[in-house]
Amino acid sequence: PWPRLPGAGLAPRLRRQDQRLHFTEQMSHCLQMAEPQETVLALPPREGVQAAATVPIPLSGLEDGLSDHPLDQGPRCPARRPCSPALAPAPTSPKKPKMQTPGDTFPTDWSPPPVEFLNPRVLQASREAPAQRWVDVAGPQGLRRLAGELPEELEQEHLDLDPKKGLALPEKLFWNTADPSQQAAAPELPWRVSGSYFNNLDYLLQEKREQALEQERERLLLQECLNLNSLDPDEDEVPLTPEHRMLVEKYSVSLQTIPPVHPGETVFLPRRHPLPCILDSSHLKPRSHLEGLFLSSLPAQQLSFLHSGLLSTLYLHVPDCPVPLLQWLFQLLTWPPETSLGAFDLLWDLSVDGIFLQSGEDMHLWCPSLQEVREAFHSLGAHSPALYPLGPFWHGGRVLPGEAGLSENREQDAPQEVALDISLGHIYKFLVLCAQAQPGAYTDENLVGLIELLCRAGLDTGLRLLPKVDLQQLLLLLLENIREWPGKLQELCCTLSWVSDHHHNLLALVQFFPDMTSRSRRLRSQLSLVVIARMLGQQETLPLWQEKTQLSSLSRLLGLMRPSSLRKYLGSVALPPSQEQQPKANAELDHKACYLCHSLLTLAGVVVSCRDITPDQWGELQLLCMQLDRHISSQIRESPQATHHTMLKDLATQTYIRWQELLTHCQPQAQYFSPWKAI
């Protein structure tokens, strides 16, 4: 190895310093000799600074220096300050000074660029200048529109200030031109300035004033509308001339139509609280300590036995269930649903269990009497005198009438209607079980009275829109349990025809009996004919109870069902003497006549559809079709002013088509003329 001479490592260090100096001179030369076609970035003008001080800086020469920022990743070497063009040696030969022209790319003044971008106020003013210019052009009305259509200058400035895209260009220039000591001592400036917002204080105040003006105008308009609605239309009413009255009557439209739902009868009134039910345990002997505790408890404690299920433990699967307990449970069916549901479940289980425990012929099932059913309806709020022809019944002291009263308000709310329907459903289901398991539990008189009671309850106003499947099933079973059916038919029809005075309610009553059995069809046909005769006042003059003459009686009644005849029949009451109210009274009378004709014609269709038309009755049915077309269809004049006329004519047309179909099915065989028949 060669001996190491002193100063042998100095030459490489000098060479590296020369290379660094040479690289710095080349970078400075590149900045001076940049091509004029390259894109340059000019700093925006600031107030108080001369125009000559604004130096364009080529972007191509700055790309290498942008990586010197401390935020950029990667190791960083301290760079030397670039040489200024002012320190370059001056040319030896004297030359004529060159004037700066607007088209020149390189300025003659190579002084350092101003560092006014470090001043936050100047930077804020430069950023607010484009936004303020657009606000002045658009005005407050177009702020929202211009907010979505920012100019390119604001978008470019926003990109320059975005911290995710990188720092602004002046900041990187500062980091390139500063030495390491200045870079370390320079504080971090908040470059993210929100200067592009339009919602300054002035425009917010102006927008608030505009909103206040709009609210004031809206308030005035609403006040004017209320004043117009509060005016009495009859206050300043001027009597119309005959010509104007005729014009109004000609083009007026009647809003009266034939309602699809019957009006109903007020049978049940809402109760403030249910009637108390007391268990009559005077004749009961306890068979266990738990049963003795139940019988000797207060009514509230007895209800706790029911809710907890202890009564099922005591009396389920027992051969002889006490009748007072069954009566008490039946009365509890009229209580609110949380109590009636438990009472119904226990009453059903005890009854079904008793049926299976007993033998076939000697089977005995407790069934509530007609009087007990009336008591239950009275507990539900029934007030109609027809439910109690001999006055209210109180049985065994179990129901105390003075504990609760009926409300004077006849309108029931939805929860009370639902609770009433639930209680009635429990009663109907248990009566169905009694009628099915023990058909001979009721006599014919009790069956007729029970059917009348159930039909009255079904016409309640609050139950009009609710389904009545349980009621229909019960009525069918009660009809089948009547022993003297042909003899009780007339009594039953006469009783049911007086359940209500409204024709639509009677039509709904007929529809309570489904067209499913022979007895129900017979009752529907006979009851419909009796109701038609009663509404027309012909109940005593026609042979209604002879089955062979029912179609001929209906043919005679169709002649009285024409709207003009019904209008005269209903117009027996004197009309108002005022001439101005005469058209209104006539329109109401016409609507009542069409309404009555609609119900009677529907009942006439029930009379025909529930009968088995034979070929011998083909002529009578053909006569019915002729009477329908002559007295009803041809008498109705449709017009836009009377919608009920259109509905009535539509029903007449459908009935006529249905009867014509029956004629085609029951048409007798053709009989040819035979000249030898007379011989």
Side-chain angles (χ1 to χ4, degrees):
W2 294 96
R4 182 178 180 83
L5 297 177
L10 182 62
R13 288 198 298 269
L14 292 177
R15 284 196 300 269
R16 286 196 294 270
Q17 291 181 0
D18 293 341
Q19 291 176 0
R20 292 176 182 173
L21 181 61
H22 181 67
F23 178 74
T24 305
E25 291 176 357
Q26 288 181 355
M27 289 296 298
S28 176
H29 181 70
C30 291
L31 289 173
Q32 296 177 7
M33 301 302 295
E35 294 181 3
Q37 289 80 6
E38 293 180 349
T39 305
V40 297
L41 176 64
L43 295 176
R46 308 298 197 271
E47 296 181 2
V49 181
Q50 296 180 359
T54 306
V55 180
I57 302 174
L59 293 178
S60 61
L62 295 177
E63 293 178 357
D64 298 336
L66 294 180
S67 62
D68 294 334
H69 195 274
L71 299 180
D72 295 338
Q73 298 179 0
R76 175 185 174 277
C77 297
R80 298 183 61 183
R81 181 181 295 182
C83 297
S84 175
L87 301 179
T92 57
S93 61
K95 292 184 180 180
K96 186 176 180 178
K98 184 177 180 180
M99 301 298 295
Q100 178 72 19
T101 59
D104 294 340
T105 305
F106 299 95
T108 59
D109 188 4
W110 287 91
S111 60
V115 292
E116 295 174 353
F117 57 84
L118 298 177
N119 189 359
R121 297 182 179 179
V122 179
L123 183 61
Q124 181 73 15
S126 64
R127 289 166 180 165
E128 290 181 355
Q132 183 67 27
R133 181 172 67 256
W134 282 96
V135 169
D136 295 338
V137 173
Q141 302 295 335
L143 291 179
R144 297 180 177 85
R145 179 178 57 84
L146 292 177
E149 302 175 2
L150 294 178
E152 296 180 358
E153 300 177 9
L154 298 179
E155 295 179 358
Q156 183 65 28
E157 185 178 355
H158 177 68
L159 292 176
D160 293 339
L161 293 176
D162 192 357
K164 298 180 180 179
K165 298 296 182 179
L167 294 176
L169 184 60
E171 183 184 6
K172 294 191 175 183
L173 287 174
F174 169 75
W175 283 99
N176 291 334
T177 57
D179 54 5
S181 62
Q182 293 178 352
Q183 294 177 5
E188 295 183 2
L189 298 178
W191 293 104
R192 193 172 182 180
V193 183
S194 59
S196 61
Y197 292 104
F198 295 115
N199 294 335
N200 52 24
L201 183 59
D202 296 336
Y203 291 108
L204 288 176
L205 293 176
Q206 184 175 357
E207 186 177 0
K208 189 175 183 61
R209 296 190 195 98
E210 293 177 356
Q211 292 178 357
L213 291 177
E214 293 178 359
Q215 293 177 359
E216 183 66 20
R217 296 192 191 101
E218 184 178 0
R219 186 183 63 81
L220 294 176
L221 289 175
L222 291 176
Q223 186 176 1
E224 292 178 0
C225 293
L226 292 176
N227 295 334
L228 291 177
N229 294 333
S230 62
L231 295 178
D232 189 4
D234 299 333
E235 183 177 357
D236 299 329
E237 186 177 357
V238 180
L240 298 177
T241 60
E243 294 81 4
H244 291 170
R245 185 179 294 106
M246 292 177 58
L247 185 64
V248 170
E249 292 178 359
K250 181 178 180 180
Y251 293 101
S252 62
V253 178
S254 176
L255 300 179
Q256 294 179 343
T257 58
I258 298 176
V261 183
H262 61 284
E265 298 285 345
T266 303
V267 179
F268 296 97
L269 294 180
R271 285 191 178 275
R272 293 185 295 270
H273 52 273
L275 293 178
C277 298
I278 300 177
L279 176 61
D280 186 10
S281 59
S282 58
H283 302 286
L284 296 180
K285 294 181 180 181
R287 289 170 288 187
S288 63
H289 177 70
L290 183 60
E291 184 178 2
L293 182 61
F294 166 71
L295 296 177
S296 61
S297 300
L298 297 177
Q301 297 176 354
Q302 291 176 350
L303 290 177
S304 65
F305 273 81
L306 173 63
H307 294 158
S308 61
L310 292 177
L311 290 183
S312 300
T313 306
L314 286 175
Y315 297 104
L316 198 59
H317 307 298
V318 175
D320 297 329
C321 185
V323 176
L325 177 66
L326 299 177
Q327 295 175 346
W328 179 67
L329 292 175
F330 183 76
Q331 293 297 326
L332 286 179
L333 298 181
T334 61
W335 277 48
E338 58 270 11
T339 303
S340 63
L341 181 59
F344 172 72
D345 292 340
L346 181 58
L347 180 62
W348 184 275
D349 293 340
L350 293 177
S351 301
V352 173
D353 187 68
I355 293 174
F356 284 103
L357 290 178
Q358 298 177 11
S359 59
E361 298 180 357
D362 299 336
M363 184 187 64
H364 175 73
L365 175 66
W366 176 83
C367 299
S369 61
L370 178 60
Q371 179 179 349
E372 291 173 338
V373 176
R374 287 175 177 171
E375 290 179 9
F377 283 6
H378 174 70
S379 300
L380 291 173
H383 80 291
S384 177
L387 297 180
Y388 314 102
L390 301 178
F393 294 92
W394 316 115
H395 178 67
R398 292 182 288 104
V399 181
L400 301 179
E403 294 293 333
L406 298 177
S407 176
E408 296 296 334
N409 185 15
R410 296 188 177 183
E411 296 183 0
Q412 302 179 7
D413 54 359
Q416 290 180 346
E417 292 177 358
V418 173
L420 175 62
D421 182 64
I422 292 175
S423 298
L424 289 176
H426 294 334
I427 296 175
Y428 295 158
K429 291 176 182 177
F430 185 71
L431 291 177
V432 166
L433 177 62
C434 296
Q436 185 72 30
Q438 197 166 355
Y442 301 98
T443 62
D444 291 347
E445 290 77 9
N446 291 337
L447 289 173
V448 172
L450 186 58
I451 291 174
E452 178 188 3
L453 181 63
L454 296 174
C455 290
R456 288 183 182 273
L459 291 177
D460 183 69
T461 306
L463 305 176
R464 294 179 302 166
L465 302 178
L466 298 178
K468 300 177 177 59
V469 180
D470 296 331
L471 176 60
Q472 293 176 347
Q473 184 180 4
L474 177 58
L475 291 175
L476 289 179
L477 290 175
L478 295 179
L479 282 179
E480 297 297 328
N481 291 340
I482 296 178
R483 300 175 181 84
E484 300 179 2
W485 168 244
K488 292 296 180 180
L489 178 61
Q490 182 176 354
E491 179 184 355
L492 183 59
C493 291
C494 293
T495 303
L496 296 180
S497 63
W498 290 95
V499 168
S500 177
D501 294 333
H502 198 278
H503 51 86
H504 204 168
N505 290 337
L506 295 176
L507 173 61
L509 187 145
V510 172
Q511 295 173 352
F512 286 168
F513 299 91
D515 188 6
M516 298 176 63
T517 62
S518 59
R519 290 193 177 186
S520 63
R521 287 193 295 268
R522 180 78 179 275
L523 177 63
R524 282 167 58 93
S525 177
Q526 189 68 43
L527 182 58
S528 300
L529 188 62
V530 172
V531 170
I532 294 174
R534 184 207 161 189
M535 290 290 103
L536 297 177
Q538 303 293 325
Q539 194 171 4
E540 303 295 337
T541 58
L542 296 177
L544 303 176
W545 309 108
Q546 299 180 8
E547 186 177 359
K548 296 182 179 181
T549 60
Q550 286 184 355
L551 293 181
S552 59
S553 300
L554 181 61
S555 178
R556 296 177 56 182
L557 292 174
L558 280 176
L560 302 175
M561 288 168 51
R562 65 177 68 182
S564 57
S565 302
L566 295 178
R567 198 177 298 112
K568 294 178 181 179
Y569 178 74
L570 297 175
S572 57
V573 183
L575 295 176
S578 177
Q579 184 178 2
E580 297 178 358
Q581 298 180 357
Q582 189 75 20
K584 185 177 180 180
N586 292 335
E588 293 180 356
L589 183 61
D590 180 71
H591 176 263
K592 291 181 180 179
C594 292
Y595 190 13
L596 176 59
C597 184
H598 190 276
S599 299
L600 297 180
L601 186 57
T602 306
L603 291 172
V606 173
V607 173
V608 177
S609 61
C610 292
R611 295 182 58 88
D612 297 331
I613 306 298
T614 61
D616 299 338
Q617 298 175 341
W618 185 83
E620 298 178 357
L621 183 58
Q622 189 178 15
L623 180 61
L624 281 176
C625 295
M626 295 173 58
Q627 295 286 344
L628 176 62
D629 183 65
R630 176 182 177 183
H631 296 292
I632 297 180
S633 298
S634 61
Q635 297 292 329
I636 302 173
R637 296 183 179 180
E638 296 184 82
S639 64
Q641 290 78 16
T643 311
H644 49 278
H645 286 179
T646 304
M647 298 179 66
L648 179 58
K649 192 162 188 176
D650 186 22
L651 177 62
T653 305
Q654 294 179 8
T655 306
Y656 183 83
I657 294 174
R658 194 178 303 112
W659 290 355
Q660 287 292 331
E661 292 178 355
L662 290 177
L663 283 176
T664 57
H665 291 294
C666 66
Q667 186 176 3
Q669 297 179 358
Q671 296 181 359
Y672 298 97
F673 175 73
S674 177
W676 306 102
K677 187 175 181 180
I679 301 176

